[in-house]
Amino acid sequence: MAALKNIGVAVIGLGIAGRVRVRDLKSNDNSCGLKLQGVVSRRPVDIPDVTCMSLDDALTSEDIQAIIICTENKLHEEYVKRGLEHGKHVLVEYPVALSLSKAKELYEMAEKKGLILWEEDIALLTETHKLLKTKAEQTGIKSVNYTVSGAYNGWIEKFEESGLPFISGISSIHTMVDLFGNLRVVTGRLELKDDGYSATACLETHSTKPIRIALSRTQSKDAFRKKSAVFEFDDGEVIDLDKLPPKPPSKQGLFMQDLNLFYQAVSEDKKDHRAHQRSLHSLEIAEKIHSFF
């Protein structure tokens, strides 16, 4: 078995997602060749054997060939651009940017420089999504009702920092595009309340089948993040996510699976153009939904 090619990485941002990335990179189960060289964080770094460095140091270090961006959404575009400018491969939490035009620029920059720009969306790696994708390939969809709710978290309610709801919640659109291909926006609505907000989008598949996505957040600290969805297919089968039996945990967590895919793309220089198109089409859909607000 050939030895893995080591690729030095720095994690930028040490919130919940950043800490998971660091945990997986340090884990004995890390089966890929990504090697953690340090973290960039405004928070104190209290993780044993992890080096804290400045962003400039991470971008100029010859020991670092890739960066993983886990910051608030408003910083994604700047950090992706700086990483690419310094010749680094980039894995970024979704969204890759807050607008379609900026995302196009970043993907084009990565292409010209021969670098990998990888947008994480672990929702596409779940066993439930794989089940739905297999079903969608076998028969047409009749309708989808998809809802995600949760509490404010200090940034998602600040639209200037996180983007409007279908930007910060663009994973819901990624999911539908991955399952059903290009979609058309019928209408969208945003309702601002004293204690939160709700946003709704009505979409159509290429065969005019309806997809409804509802995203809501509340100030209540008792509100936990919840996702529910009902998929009705043309053959009469209904898949209700709330009624599916729990799946046994996979040997590798979703974030580790994502790291492995990123490593494979970088080490083999495999650009996933379908993922790029899904990312851009999802941003296009989000902006069309927001045009109704």
Side-chain angles (χ1 to χ4, degrees):
M1 182 176 179
L4 290 173
K5 173 185 176 182
N6 285 343
I7 296 171
V9 298
V11 174
I12 302 176
L14 208 56
I16 295 174
R19 286 180 176 273
V20 171
R21 295 293 188 181
V22 170
R23 178 203 68 192
D24 285 351
L25 288 166
K26 285 171 57 63
S27 169
N28 292 330
D29 293 331
N30 180 8
S31 56
C32 70
L34 297 175
K35 301 303 178 184
L36 181 66
Q37 300 295 320
V39 300
V40 178
S41 176
R42 297 189 303 265
R43 298 178 173 91
V45 177
D46 55 358
I47 306 172
D49 302 320
V50 172
T51 301
C52 184
M53 59 179 59
S54 70
L55 179 59
D56 286 341
D57 286 344
L59 293 176
T60 57
S61 172
E62 294 182 0
D63 294 327
I64 294 173
Q65 292 81 47
I67 59 173
I68 300 174
I69 300 172
C70 305
T71 64
E72 55 264 43
N73 294 355
K74 69 177 182 179
L75 296 175
H76 288 187
E77 176 194 335
E78 175 191 350
Y79 287 177
V80 170
K81 184 177 181 181
R82 291 188 65 183
L84 295 174
E85 287 174 341
H86 283 81
K88 310 298 185 186
H89 302 285
V90 178
L91 186 160
V92 59
E93 306 289 320
Y94 71 82
V96 65
L98 295 184
S99 70
L100 174 63
S101 62
K102 294 300 182 182
K104 284 181 177 178
E105 291 178 10
L106 296 173
Y107 280 119
E108 289 171 1
M109 179 184 293
E111 185 72 27
K112 289 178 181 177
K113 289 181 172 290
L115 296 167
I116 300 297
L117 173 52
W118 185 274
E119 182 183 30
E120 168 271 326
D121 193 342
I122 59 172
L124 305 184
L125 302 178
T126 66
E127 292 303 314
T128 298
H129 184 79
K130 293 174 185 176
L131 168 69
L132 289 167
K133 192 168 179 64
T134 298
K135 181 65 180 180
E137 290 170 350
Q138 295 171 345
T139 187
I141 190 70
K142 186 174 181 180
S143 67
V144 179
N145 196 339
Y146 188 98
T147 67
V148 180
S149 60
Y152 282 180
N153 60 9
W155 60 269
I156 200 166
E157 64 272 19
K158 299 175 182 177
F159 296 154
E160 68 280 4
E161 296 184 11
S162 64
L164 285 167
F166 283 95
I167 293 290
S168 61
I170 204 163
S171 177
S172 61
I173 302 176
H174 279 208
T175 297
M176 298 306 154
V177 171
D178 191 61
L179 290 174
F180 308 116
N182 288 352
L183 304 174
R184 186 179 78 87
V185 178
V186 178
T187 190
R189 181 184 179 188
L190 174 64
E191 183 180 358
L192 299 175
K193 308 172 184 177
D194 291 339
D195 63 345
Y197 69 80
S198 61
T200 306
C202 295
L203 313 175
E204 283 184 346
T205 67
H206 65 89
S207 55
T208 70
K209 300 300 176 65
I211 296 175
R212 179 182 180 274
I213 304 175
L215 310 175
S216 64
R217 292 278 179 166
T218 177
Q219 293 180 9
S220 172
K221 295 180 180 180
D222 297 327
F224 295 98
R225 190 177 187 277
K226 181 181 179 182
K227 179 171 69 176
S228 61
V230 178
F231 295 78
E232 185 175 1
F233 291 90
D234 285 339
D235 63 1
E237 183 177 3
V238 176
I239 298 179
D240 184 338
L241 298 192
D242 288 335
K243 296 180 180 179
L244 289 177
K247 297 284 185 180
S250 59
K251 293 182 179 179
Q252 282 191 331
L254 297 176
F255 283 99
M256 191 67 244
Q257 292 178 46
D258 185 54
L259 287 175
N260 272 298
L261 291 171
F262 177 59
Y263 172 76
Q264 182 179 359
V266 172
S267 61
E268 300 178 10
D269 191 26
K270 288 186 176 180
K271 296 178 177 65
D272 191 341
H273 293 289
R274 290 182 63 184
H276 295 176
Q277 290 304 311
R278 180 178 63 237
S279 174
L280 294 175
H281 184 49
S282 297
L283 282 166
E284 179 184 20
I285 290 171
E287 291 188 351
K288 287 182 179 178
I289 295 169
H290 294 156
S291 71
F292 287 93
F293 290 180

